[in-house]
Amino acid sequence: MLSRVAPWLASHKENAASAGISVRTLAGADTAALRRLASQDPVANVFILAHLRAAGSAAPTAGGAGVLGVFDDGILVGACWAGANLVPVQLDPEFAGLVAAAASNSGRRFASAFGPADAVLALHAGLAALGHAAHEVRDEQPLMTLCGPPSVEPNADLGLGRLADFDRILPACAAMFEEEVGYSPFLGGKEFYSRRVEGLIRQGHSLAHVNDSGDVVFKAELGAVTADVTQIQGVWMNPGYRGQGLSAGYMAAVVEKARTLAPVTSLYVNGFNLRARSTYERVGFRQVGTFATVLF
């Protein structure tokens, strides 16, 4: 156990610093370097690549979110998004302690850390050593991709979410969030989460089937989109329609929509959710890596 923890101890951090390793918040001039770094794995790093596509810069956002970069003698060798969440980018676990210290010193509160398991769990170890307790650690989340059409017939009832249905889609999104993380996304106020859902609808990244009775039967979002990869998030089936064998057809329809934007469709799923994993495999998804999520 000590050999796994040792890279994130204070003595190791001092050795790293003396070896020319430094951490700082990236600026606009670092954009190309960050894009090159993230492009080494466009599936695992779709979150930051989508951000760069939208923002056009590695500089901090107006809200104060930014990217912590790890430099080895001036060369960017790893990074970590530090906004509402921590998202490592090609981050070697041995540098996670330095990034954790920088994130902690920023004074920001992080709801979670998610991404490649080795980097996320190393960040968790570094943050824990600094007194940041985790609410839950999900250390095995298969990262899955589908590089072609789905293996089952898409459900034609799935369409793009419409602003006219916002008052139905928002509660469905909130229900999914609460099932997934155990608390309401409205705890800190309704406005931020509502804007997020509305933004996804406006972008054409919200997918839903609202039936004639006004029920949201199924919904999902394309949470991160680049020219190469989409990442499906927020998959939710209305409890009243579960157990009827509908999920695979809806997921196939999500893939069909996603393929109009990028050739590779990706998602990650909790390892313990065997039913969802079976559905995704039936649709044609295959595991290409392992993510982890730490909830704070």
Side-chain angles (χ1 to χ4, degrees):
M1 184 67 182
L2 181 59
S3 63
R4 295 183 60 191
V5 176
W8 313 307
L9 295 178
S11 59
H12 188 88
K13 295 176 191 175
E14 292 168 3
N15 291 338
S18 64
I21 304 298
S22 61
V23 177
R24 66 167 171 83
T25 300
L26 300 188
D30 301 304
T31 301
L34 178 61
R35 186 176 286 112
R36 286 194 298 270
L37 181 74
S39 294
Q40 294 177 24
D41 190 338
V43 172
N45 298 320
V46 65
F47 174 87
I48 195 66
L49 288 168
H51 169 73
L52 289 175
R53 187 186 193 194
S57 175
T61 68
V67 182
L68 297 170
V70 180
F71 291 84
D72 185 350
D73 287 333
I75 298 173
L76 184 68
V77 294
C80 185
W81 170 260
N85 308 292
L86 293 169
V87 186
V89 180
Q90 300 298 109
L91 181 63
D92 190 316
E94 76 170 292
F95 302 138
L98 292 171
V99 173
S104 181
N105 290 338
S106 74
R108 295 184 66 93
R109 295 187 63 184
F110 305 102
S112 72
F114 65 86
D118 56 352
V120 168
L121 297 177
L123 278 172
H124 172 229
L127 289 166
L130 295 168
H132 299 272
H135 169 67
E136 184 177 355
V137 178
R138 300 177 182 181
D139 60 2
E140 184 188 354
Q141 297 178 307
L143 175 64
M144 309 179 82
T145 61
L146 201 167
C147 300
S151 302
V152 301
E153 187 70 21
N155 188 323
D157 289 328
L158 187 77
L160 294 178
R162 304 183 307 154
L163 286 175
D165 293 319
F166 176 78
D167 289 341
R168 296 180 174 90
I169 293 173
L170 179 62
C173 291
M176 177 284 304
F177 186 99
E178 190 160 355
E179 284 185 29
E180 180 67 17
V181 302
Y183 59 87
S184 170
F186 301 145
L187 281 180
K190 194 172 182 178
E191 183 180 358
F192 178 81
Y193 190 73
S194 297
R195 285 204 312 268
R196 167 67 173 163
V197 173
E198 180 182 350
L200 288 166
I201 294 173
R202 291 187 183 277
Q203 290 175 296
H205 295 170
S206 168
L207 305 168
H209 172 206
V210 183
N211 66 16
D212 293 339
S213 299
D215 295 331
V216 176
V217 180
F218 175 94
K219 71 94 193 169
E221 291 83 44
L222 305 179
V225 177
T226 70
D228 302 307
V229 182
T230 60
Q231 187 179 88
I232 300 170
Q233 299 174 359
V235 176
W236 182 82
M237 177 74 75
N238 187 317
Y241 296 87
R242 295 175 186 175
Q244 300 179 29
L246 299 174
S247 295
Y250 281 121
M251 283 303 301
V254 174
V255 171
E256 287 288 85
K257 302 289 186 186
R259 291 182 68 229
T260 67
L261 301 176
V264 178
T265 309
S266 71
L267 55 81
Y268 61 100
V269 57
N270 290 318
F272 55 77
N273 194 341
L274 299 181
R275 179 174 293 182
R277 291 175 64 177
S278 177
T279 295
Y280 299 150
E281 289 170 359
R282 182 182 168 199
V283 173
F285 285 91
R286 296 293 179 264
Q287 183 171 355
V288 296
T290 302
F291 268 24
T293 296
V294 178
L295 302 174
F296 293 106

